[in-house]
Amino acid sequence: MRYYSLNHNAPRVSFAEAAVKGQAPDKGLYFPERIPSLPQGFIENIKQYSKEEIGLTVMKPYVGGSIADNELQRIVNETINFEFPLVPITDSIASLELFHGPTLAFKDVGARFMSRCLGYFNRNSNEQVTVLVATSGDTGGAVANGFLGVEGVNVVILYPSGKVSPVQELQLTTLGQNITALEVQGTFDDCQAMVKQAFADADLNNKLSLTSANSINVARWLPQQLYYFFAYQQWQHTSAPVICVPSGNFGNICAGILAHVSGLPVTHFIAACNANDVVPQYIQSGQYQPKQAVATISNAMDVGNPSNFIRILELFHQQFNELKNKMSSVSVDDATTTKTIKDVFQQHHYTLDPHGAVAYYALDQYLQQHMADKGFILETAHPVKFPDTVEEATQQKIAIPESVQYLLHLQKQSITMPPIFDALKEWLMNR
Ligand SMILES: *Cc1c(COP(=O)(O)O)cnc(C)c1O
């Protein structure tokens, strides 16, 4: 499989090159030159396959040629070595819990796959690679955890001091080894600006081999298809599901649509957004107008110009009507999100996180108009990562899952830094 740039002004490349480069030289996103069809009988017999078999079957056409089968199987197995339960909330709505990975977020899947691919491609090189990443919470933790202990790779995470939740901060700052956390005395935007400037800085690029672990990377995007298949294995209803995905950069839902194009049965997709409503507006008007992001309580979706939207258009052959028939998109405000957490907890004893709550509300509204359908949401993070909002809505303390209890006994280790690029540069040059 080769990949072309969606800006159509760069050579086609292998999976390996697309994964190492991240973005095409013409600044376009890479896209597979054809969408493989699933093997005959695969969907009909999906319950008979193990997660690992599904993983290899789905990923091999995309990666084949760049990674040998036995290595790919190892990478897939390590990527998905936790649970992906589809938990019923009501008769018609279930929750695909994607928060059972090491950092309690769906981003673990993409980050684990990407880090292992880069480790593999880098296996014979003596050069140290530095992954620089700015985070508002979830990305940094998943990336850092994914790269923990990967040889030849150093990870430097910038996070805004006081603006990530306690569990998120522990996940970022207690790993040690090849992971360093920089606690920036500023906002997420400051962190992102510092990282951007570092990638453009000649001195830094001469001295270090800098890489990003950006969500547009094909090695993060493509493995996110897998849990749509795991959900379908657990799907009990006769009609194909309506799938509702809380969306920010639209990578997650885009992976679901890709799985569908290759043969996974899906009745309809809903992209649930918070107040950042560029795509809902687009579906209404046909006009795509990026905006400045606004802050919400589902902050991992505070994106004003979703980078993967262009891939979704490509999957629908750039046809607005084709897209509109298969995918709708709605915007849900913070007050409704909080009320949804409260209502679902009181009525169904299920604790949603703010991102899952946005999706739940959107799916519930849709199903009221389509009574014969049934569906599930993607629950993208554990509620314990957003304790302030969730505990206020439910009036209950959230128990910290056993899998992260050990964090509470670890010592936070961070390097404090002013929100100034020169401070970052000096630190990187002299470490
Ligand atoms: C990143 C993230 C999202 C948004 O996913 P996209 O692929 O960017 O659309 C949703 N929820 C949570 C908890 C996230 O961390």
Side-chain angles (χ1 to χ4, degrees), residues 386-430:
F386 307 93
D388 295 348
T389 306
V390 177
E391 289 178 355
E392 195 186 310
T394 61
Q395 295 293 310
Q396 305 280 321
K397 199 105 194 104
I398 309 169
I400 300 201
E402 236 167 81
S403 66
V404 292
Q405 293 256 356
Y406 73 95
L407 283 172
L408 306 177
H409 310 291
L410 300 178
Q411 195 61 40
K412 162 181 161 183
Q413 285 186 328
S414 68
I415 295 168
T416 313
M417 187 166 282
I420 299 166
F421 169 68
D422 286 339
L424 173 65
K425 179 170 176 174
E426 192 185 316
W427 183 82
L428 283 169
M429 293 296 281
N430 296 316

Side-chain angles (χ1 to χ4, degrees), residues 105-107 138 246-252 300-301 353 355 380-381 386:
F106 83 94
K107 291 188 173 77
D138 272 355
S247 296
N249 260 321
F250 281 67
N252 207 6
M301 304 176 355
D353 99 293
H355 305 77
T380 45
F386 307 93

Side-chain angles (χ1 to χ4, degrees), residues 199-270:
F199 284 121
D201 187 87
D203 298 336
L204 280 176
N205 282 283
N206 281 336
K207 171 141 196 239
L208 301 167
S209 171
L210 288 181
T211 313
S212 89
N214 201 294
S215 69
I216 61 168
N217 194 300
V218 291
R220 270 187 69 182
W221 173 46
L222 295 169
Q224 297 180 139
Q225 294 177 87
L226 297 181
Y227 39 74
Y228 290 88
F229 291 94
F230 304 158
Y232 194 70
Q233 273 193 308
Q234 302 169 69
W235 186 247
Q236 302 285 1
H237 304 287
T238 42
S239 62
V242 175
I243 303 181
C244 184
V245 186
S247 296
N249 260 321
F250 281 67
N252 207 6
I253 191 167
C254 187
I257 297 170
L258 183 65
H260 173 60
V261 173
S262 72
L264 180 75
V266 179
T267 295
H268 192 71
F269 283 98
I270 305 168

Side-chain angles (χ1 to χ4, degrees), residues 297-319:
I297 55 171
S298 48
N299 59 17
M301 304 176 355
D302 294 350
V303 179
N305 186 11
S307 40
N308 281 288
F309 185 67
I310 182 155
R311 282 189 175 133
I312 295 183
L313 282 177
E314 191 77 353
L315 283 167
F316 290 112
H317 313 101
Q318 309 288 333
Q319 297 296 312

